[in-house]
């Protein structure tokens, strides 16, 4: 009978970092200004505009390149402890290679970072959120084994220029989306749709690139700069549809295939790709007439380089699915990663649905995901680096679905803290509406609405912005709270 009172009393510690997240291509605009080079999203939206749902692009987006002071003002309005943003590789290295650094690009990020620091907001910088310089894609991008050297050189430029002030670095945002959606499929740039091997070549080179950047930071920068360097992996929760042994094994294969191929090489004690999934791909490859597994192996030296190479585990978490060995399978090309996993999935009807087909409100799923990772990888330091809810562009400012979602997330985070999970912070996706990749501007994730028909890209707080602000200020969830007015101020 006192359960709700007890629940209301649960609090977040004062040093828990509450923030919001964005990504360069989704907010910056200024795609060809001040010496920025072309990246794979510029290339794709200009050459095949029909792949974007509303035929839009990120040429201007929320125009944060020119509005960054307003962005920081919004962070102050919300009372954020931290802000996660990404650096556009081609804005600071126009060709991708480190021989030519663009001073205007460096200046832009310096201004953004300094503006945050002026107000005591901790910057968290992602080096790669999907906008590869096109010149590197022309050479194969992540499929080229030398990719890890190019990334290490870029990382050095980032650490040298920003590491005196940025103490939290993330190498890659969501390897699965980079490798499966961009290389193995056609759901993200560079839309290679190389189903048999694209995902796996990318996966191997990506984790090696991550490890090289991590060791570079660790050896040459951490001793003087004193920050931390990690990686962000999208970890949605995949539980078995029934407790049959078949469904439980199917859920494990799904977890290994979706995020284990990125997490296991870095965070497990044995290193390398996860065992059962590797066996499955090797078996299928042999049946399909390949002379070797489509999933490449790591050499012992590579395994050692990658194993343990992260100061924290960044988790982007949005939703969950129930996994079946036999039911709910989607048609998939053969060979492909989806066919390699060969499992079915569904979201139960009673999970609330968002504007995004893939995004449903799954009960306590942050806890389910993090608790699993904690057990599997010996309780590393975690940050939830993204979590959020989409509404349609017509929904406007009264975003009750988002409010419900964020409150549910807070309860799940508190469950993590109660359980001893080493969770240090939470970044809501997103500070403001932005270019939602293939969905263009149809699906909106912002705490602030952005008017994309207005050249000034005016930002207006939604109800959820007030609710999140209240949570941050009080370090607790108050279900009675309603904003009195929709006028936002800085406290
Ligand atoms: C995050 O990915 C991204 O990091 C961020 O940039 C993005 O804006 C945010 O999500 C909201 O989408 O129907 O097969 O195309 C979250 C994980 C995985 C969610 C792929 C969308 C597309 C499923 N994403 N998923 S599909």
């Amino acid at each position: 009978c006192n359960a709700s009172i007890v629940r209301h009393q649960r609090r977040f510690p004062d040093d828990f970092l509450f923030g919001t997240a964005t990504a360069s291509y989704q907010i910056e605009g200024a795609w060809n200004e001040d010496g920025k080079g072309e990246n794979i999203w510029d290339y794709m939206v200009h050459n095949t505009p029909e792949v974007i749902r509303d035929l839009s692009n990120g040429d201007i987006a929320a125009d944060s390149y020119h509005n960054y002071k307003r962005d920081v003002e919004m962070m102050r309005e919300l009372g954020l402890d931290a802000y996660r943003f990404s650096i556009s590789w081609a804005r600071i290295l126009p060709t991708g290679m480190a021989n030519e650094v663009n001073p205007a690009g460096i200046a832009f990020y310096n201004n953004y970072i300094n503006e945050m620091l002026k107000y005591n907001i901790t910057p968290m910088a992602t080096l790669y959120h999907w906008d590869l310089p096109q010149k590197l894609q022309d050479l194969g991008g992540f499929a080229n084994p030398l990719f890890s050297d190019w990334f290490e050189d870029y990382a050095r430029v980032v650490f040298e220029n920003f590491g005196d002030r940025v103490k939290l670095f993330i190498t890659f945002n969501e390897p699965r989306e980079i490798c499966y959606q961009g290389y193995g499929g056609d759901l993200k740039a560079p839309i290679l749709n190389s189903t048999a091997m694209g995902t796996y070549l990318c996966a191997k080179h990506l984790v090696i690139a991550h490890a090289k950047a991590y060791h570079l930071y660790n050896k040459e920068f951490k001793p003087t700069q004193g920050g931390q360097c990690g990686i962000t992996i999208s970890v949605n929760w995949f539980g078995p549809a029934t407790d049959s042994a078949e469904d439980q094994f199917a859920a494990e294969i799904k977890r290994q295939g979706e995020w284990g191929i990125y997490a296991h090489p870095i965070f497990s004690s044995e290193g390398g790709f996860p065992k059962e999934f590797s066996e499955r791909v090797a078996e299928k490859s042999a049946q399909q007439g390949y002379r070797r597994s489509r999933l490449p192996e790591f050499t012992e030296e590579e395994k050692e380089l990658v194993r343990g190479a992260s100061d924290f585990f960044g988790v982007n978490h949005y939703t969950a699915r129930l996994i079946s060995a036999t039911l709910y399978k989607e048609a998939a090309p053969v060979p492909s990663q989806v066919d390699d996993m060969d499992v079915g999935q569904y979201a139960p009807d009673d999970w609330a649905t968002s504007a995004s087909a893939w995004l449903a409100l799954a009960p306590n799923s942050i806890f389910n995901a993090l608790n699993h990772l904690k057990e599997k990888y010996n309780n590393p330091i975690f940050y939830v680096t993204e979590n959020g809810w989409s509404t349609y562009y017509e929904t406007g400012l009264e975003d009750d679905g988002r409010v419900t979602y964020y409150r549910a997330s807070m309860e799940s985070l508190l469950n993590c803290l109660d359980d001893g999970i080493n969770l240090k912070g939470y970044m809501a996706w997103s500070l403001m509406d932005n270019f939602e990749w293939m969905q263009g501007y149809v699906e909106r994730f912002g705490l602030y609405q952005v008017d994309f028909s207005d050249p000034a890209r005016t930002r207006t707080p939604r109800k959820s912005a007030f609710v999140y602000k209240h949570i941050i200020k009080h370090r607790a969830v108050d279900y009675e709270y309603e904003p009195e007015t929709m006028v936002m101020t800085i406290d």
Side-chain angles (χ1 to χ4, degrees), residues 26 129 173-174 177 181 318 358 386 429 436-437 445:
Q26 294 180 275
H129 197 127
N173 179 70
E174 298 191 344
E177 281 59 37
Q181 296 204 312
Y318 285 86
W358 54 275
E386 280 181 33
W429 183 272
E436 179 53 19
W437 309 113
F445 279 86

Side-chain angles (χ1 to χ4, degrees), residues 70 109 201 277 284 321 331 403 414 417 450:
R70 170 65 180 134
Y109 293 109
L201 286 180
F277 183 73
K284 289 240 185 193
R321 290 287 182 276
V403 168
L414 287 164
L417 295 173
V450 176

Side-chain angles (χ1 to χ4, degrees), residues 309-327:
S310 196
D311 294 324
F312 59 86
F313 195 140
V315 170
N316 286 357
H317 179 91
Y318 285 86
T319 192
R321 290 287 182 276
L322 299 184
I323 305 300
S324 166
T326 50
L327 305 173

Side-chain angles (χ1 to χ4, degrees), residues 22 84 116 147 192 267 273 334 377 422 450:
T22 59
R84 174 174 178 241
M116 286 174 225
F147 173 80
L192 276 192
F267 294 101
F273 287 129
V334 181
Y377 301 132
N422 215 346
V450 176

